[in-house]
Amino acid sequence: MLFSMDFACYGSDKTQEYMKLVIGIVDEAGRANVSDLFPVLSFLDLQGVRARMRGYLRKLYKSFDDIMEERLRFRSLNKESKDYNDVLDSFLDLMQDGTSQLSRDDILHLFIDLFLAGVDTTSSTLEWAMAELMRNPKKMVKARTELQQVLDKSTLKLEESMVSKLPFLQAVIKETLRLHPPVPFLIPHKAICDVELCGFLVPKNSQILANVWAMGRDPSIWENPNSFIPERFLENEIDFKANDFNFIPFGAGRRMCPGLPLASRILSFMLASLLYHFDWKVPDGLKAEDMDMSQRYGLTMHKAQPLRAIPVKM
């Protein structure tokens, strides 16, 4: 979508490099750092976090800069061609027509933000959704049955436009995000003045973290909070807009995640594709209910043990 490139060729050294860069950046961003507790020591970089992060970001920046340079050469040689119509082309059009103040450096940093924010969170959520469905085979059957009912019987082809007709599948995504929010503490906010919340004084300039992981498992909000029950989102019209603030995996208000519309649609379509094209089973004779569902905490929340699932052609 960003560059008209396939980043999922697992035999490619370039793909592996991108994966290592993303994992490295996310791990360093979520690492406990003494400089966060004692800012006066930050210039020392005692744990080397800043140096490693700078190295990862420099490599990612250089890689995206090479992609942009190659595209600019292509555009200069093929001025009438419309082979690409992606996000990069859109920003290059803005940069070159003189109506925008965006510089090349601005665009490259924006792509880093988009790439990091979209890749790791989406893949981890999809992994959790598949893991929960495999542990709850009746839910998987229910989702697949819904797919078969909605599918165009004449073409037997799954289209992205069908996502809106799959309420149970969308409920599966919401329930996954409730139990396993990809960013468990959301993005930090800062109090711009002294404010009292629920009897507690939050001093000016305090950093505030919203623990959406704890909210999603709060028994005062959710019935059977630790159980995977997508039906709860069919019984109550709870969406991502955070109207009652019970369910805010994308944040809320003016600062909520701008990728919400894309993420919710793409997640649903990817999960639908996996369920439609394959049946799934756990490997090595492992019982589904015995799957390891422990979590590895950081800036983003991954399964401690990556999901292993065997696809069986339908």
Side-chain angles (χ1 to χ4, degrees), residues 147 151 156-158 271-278 314:
L147 267 169
L151 201 64
L156 296 180
K157 187 177 181 181
L158 182 63
L271 183 59
S273 298
L274 291 174
L275 296 180
Y276 171 64
H277 290 289
F278 301 99
M314 297 288 286

Side-chain angles (χ1 to χ4, degrees), residues 115-127:
F115 194 79
L116 293 175
V119 171
D120 187 65
T121 53
T122 305
S123 61
S124 66
T125 301
L126 187 65
E127 181 181 31

Side-chain angles (χ1 to χ4, degrees), residues 29-295:
R31 191 181 303 280
N33 191 350
V34 67
S35 297
D36 294 333
L37 298 176
F38 304 100
V40 69
L41 301 176
S42 60
F43 74 98
L44 295 174
D45 194 20
L46 295 173
Q47 295 163 265
V49 172
R50 183 179 298 175
R52 289 192 296 272
M53 179 69 86
R54 190 182 294 118
Y56 289 134
L57 290 173
R58 187 182 296 116
K59 289 179 180 178
L60 194 59
Y61 182 98
K62 175 63 167 58
S63 181
F64 287 173
D65 190 51
D66 290 344
I67 293 172
M68 180 181 286
E69 183 62 31
E70 184 178 345
R71 181 66 62 82
L72 286 169
R73 285 198 299 268
F74 176 86
R75 286 162 64 103
S76 66
L77 296 173
N78 303 270
K79 294 183 179 181
E80 303 301 322
S81 174
K82 296 295 182 182
D83 285 0
Y84 299 101
N85 186 24
D86 51 22
V87 178
L88 177 56
D89 261 355
S90 298
F91 277 112
L92 290 179
D93 288 341
L94 284 173
M95 188 178 75
Q96 293 179 328
D97 69 7
T99 61
S100 172
Q101 296 181 358
L102 284 174
S103 67
R104 179 167 177 159
D105 187 62
D106 293 332
I107 294 173
L108 288 169
H109 280 94
L110 180 59
F111 275 121
I112 289 175
D113 288 344
L114 293 171
F115 194 79
L116 293 175
V119 171
D120 187 65
T121 53
T122 305
S123 61
S124 66
T125 301
L126 187 65
E127 181 181 31
W128 280 115
M130 285 297 298
E132 289 289 1
L133 286 174
M134 292 180 69
R135 287 183 76 235
N136 297 270
K138 291 183 179 179
K139 309 295 184 187
M140 183 178 285
V141 170
K142 187 172 182 177
R144 185 174 287 126
T145 300
E146 180 184 62
L147 267 169
Q148 293 169 346
Q149 292 173 345
V150 171
L151 201 64
D152 187 338
K153 298 299 188 298
S154 61
T155 63
L156 296 180
K157 187 177 181 181
L158 182 63
E159 301 283 356
E160 186 180 333
S161 58
M162 297 176 182
V163 167
S164 60
K165 302 175 183 178
L166 301 169
F168 184 74
L169 190 82
Q170 294 181 55
V172 167
I173 296 294
K174 291 178 181 178
E175 181 72 343
T176 301
L177 289 169
R178 179 186 71 83
L179 285 169
H180 313 286
V183 185
F185 286 100
L186 297 183
I187 301 300
H189 287 63
K190 181 180 286 189
I192 60 175
C193 61
D194 290 350
V195 61
E196 184 175 322
L197 294 175
C198 301
F200 293 92
L201 176 64
V202 180
K204 180 180 178 180
N205 293 327
S206 295
Q207 181 171 269
I208 302 167
L209 299 170
N211 190 341
V212 292
W213 182 90
M215 292 168 60
R217 295 169 183 260
D218 189 338
S220 68
I221 301 175
W222 307 96
E223 186 177 351
N224 298 321
N226 294 317
S227 299
F228 183 73
I229 310 174
E231 289 82 359
R232 72 175 85 237
F233 285 96
L234 299 177
E235 298 164 359
N236 300 288
E237 294 186 5
I238 303 173
D239 59 20
F240 295 117
K241 301 298 184 181
N243 294 325
D244 53 8
F245 292 95
N246 289 347
F247 181 63
I248 55 171
F250 292 92
R254 292 182 301 166
R255 303 290 194 277
M256 76 186 307
C257 175
L260 189 163
L262 177 64
S264 60
R265 192 174 186 88
I266 291 299
L267 275 169
S268 298
F269 183 61
M270 287 193 298
L271 183 59
S273 298
L274 291 174
L275 296 180
Y276 171 64
H277 290 289
F278 301 99
D279 195 4
W280 296 88
K281 64 179 183 178
V282 293
D284 305 326
L286 179 70
K287 293 183 179 179
E289 58 269 23
D290 295 332
M291 287 174 56
D292 185 347
M293 297 293 284
S294 56
Q295 300 153 134

